[in-house]
Amino acid sequence: MDVHVRDLRYFAAVAEELSFTRAAERLYVSQPALSKQIRALERQLGFPLFERLPRAIALTPQGAALLPAARELAAGWAEAVRAARTAGPAESLAVGMQTAVGRDLQREVLSRFRERGWRVSLRLVNWEDPTAGLAGGDVDAAFCWLPVPGVGAELTAKVLVRENRWVALPRGHRLAGRAALDFAELLDEPFVALPRSAGPLREFWLGTAERGGREPVVGLEASSPEEVFEAVGAGLGVALLAEGNARLYPRPEVVSVPVRGLAPCELALVWRAGDRRREVAEFAAAFRAAPPPAAGPRAGTEVPR
């Protein structure tokens, strides 16, 4: 039986908090996603870990027996990863990302650090983890689209880019020929959504704050940019995206159009607030913070084809 270390961390957090809501906040995941993961672990083990009461949860005898070993295994793995990193070059960093960064943001910085003998590895993490690997300790820093759960508390963010939001449409869509759109014209469209575990990031890319209380129509969910563009190109929905990503992910079957009436999106470098290592501080300092927000998209903005 193969059980992921992540599942053990999730189990231990719920057992310690005795609350799916508090544990989800601590783990930077959504409560429904955490509940689903624990249910899957219980099915895999063949016994319940928690007793679900009307207003609380409690460990079952099986859960109480498993908890010490789960804690030990999760802590042991985290320590093993730290030891493995220190066994390499004196300065090494693992950097997470969820979409291509582009925009000439990281190329010069990464080249500079590698020339100094640093080992910098890039890891692509899907949107199931909105922290791009930071929450699980898999990376030291990450390029993330805000909002990210925990920023301002356990995580620190440095905004690198602010861009307008556009919409990706199937090439044959009735609005695909427009130079720009008002978000109100998209309210009834089915959207390709990030997974629920992405939490506030999912809501941001659905434009929930600008819908005036109207629920978005979700056509399907996708966990990576490739899945999003495949779904849009197949006519299964539309999707909001950053202006720069419209150019980074060109697809012949997809047309990207500027959208008015939406707050800009922000790409940030994020790291753990308690991480005082020199490597992390130097890496963060190497990036320039974004200038003040630009004006919103105007009709007539050039559209990539």
Side-chain angles (χ1 to χ4, degrees):
M1 176 186 300
D2 295 324
V3 174
H4 293 290
V5 176
R6 178 195 61 187
D7 296 333
L8 298 179
R9 286 196 302 107
Y10 284 9
F11 163 57
V14 177
E16 289 161 5
E17 299 289 345
L18 288 180
S19 163
F20 281 98
T21 301
R22 291 194 298 271
E25 291 171 354
R26 171 174 152 184
L27 294 163
Y28 314 128
V29 299
S30 70
Q31 188 270 327
L34 178 59
S35 297
K36 180 180 178 182
Q37 203 67 36
I38 294 296
R39 290 282 191 192
L41 177 60
E42 289 174 322
R43 286 195 299 271
Q44 188 175 5
L45 294 171
F47 52 78
L49 297 169
F50 297 98
E51 183 181 0
R52 278 78 171 173
L53 305 171
R55 295 183 178 275
I57 61 171
L59 280 166
T60 61
Q62 299 98 316
L66 185 64
L67 181 57
R71 283 173 170 154
E72 183 178 349
L73 288 168
W77 175 252
E79 182 56 38
V81 170
R82 283 192 290 269
R85 284 182 182 158
T86 58
E91 291 90 4
S92 63
L93 284 173
V95 182
M97 59 180 64
Q98 292 165 317
T99 65
V101 178
R103 301 161 177 84
D104 284 330
L105 277 178
Q106 87 278 28
R107 182 175 56 185
E108 181 182 345
V109 171
L110 295 181
S111 296
R112 193 189 321 157
F113 280 100
R114 283 169 176 158
E115 286 170 4
R116 291 170 56 186
W118 289 39
R119 177 177 294 173
V120 183
S121 60
L122 300 177
R123 300 181 184 177
L124 192 61
V125 182
N126 69 31
W127 285 314
E128 295 283 352
D129 176 5
T131 69
L134 284 167
D138 301 317
V139 301
D140 303 296
F143 296 105
C144 297
W145 290 100
L146 300 181
V148 173
V151 166
E154 296 87 357
L155 302 176
T156 299
K158 182 178 188 177
V159 176
L160 307 178
V161 170
R162 288 186 180 90
E163 294 180 346
N164 296 312
R165 279 184 278 179
W166 290 31
V167 65
L169 304 163
R171 181 162 290 279
H173 194 279
R174 60 186 175 82
L175 299 173
R178 298 275 294 278
L181 298 170
D182 292 316
F183 185 55
E185 299 177 79
L186 298 170
L187 293 181
D188 294 325
E189 294 288 332
F191 271 67
V192 181
L194 305 191
R196 290 191 180 277
S197 58
L201 192 63
R202 168 188 167 105
E203 302 307 320
F204 181 82
W205 290 110
L206 288 174
T208 300
E210 291 89 356
R211 288 180 175 271
R214 294 178 61 176
E215 287 292 322
V217 179
V218 175
L220 74 163
E221 296 183 352
S223 295
S224 69
E226 290 72 22
E227 291 180 11
V228 170
F229 287 106
E230 283 294 328
V232 172
L236 301 177
V238 305
L240 296 178
L241 74 164
E243 179 179 351
N245 283 2
R247 298 180 174 90
L248 281 173
Y249 292 96
R251 296 289 183 96
E253 69 276 15
V254 174
V255 172
S256 297
V257 180
V259 180
R260 294 180 292 253
L262 291 171
C265 53
E266 297 179 322
L267 178 64
L269 182 70
V270 184
W271 63 97
R272 284 180 287 276
D275 194 338
R276 307 297 183 190
R277 288 176 297 157
R278 178 178 62 85
E279 301 97 301
V280 175
E282 286 192 26
F283 189 72
F287 289 90
R288 242 180 238 177
R298 302 179 302 277
T301 303
E302 182 180 352
V303 179
R305 289 288 191 268

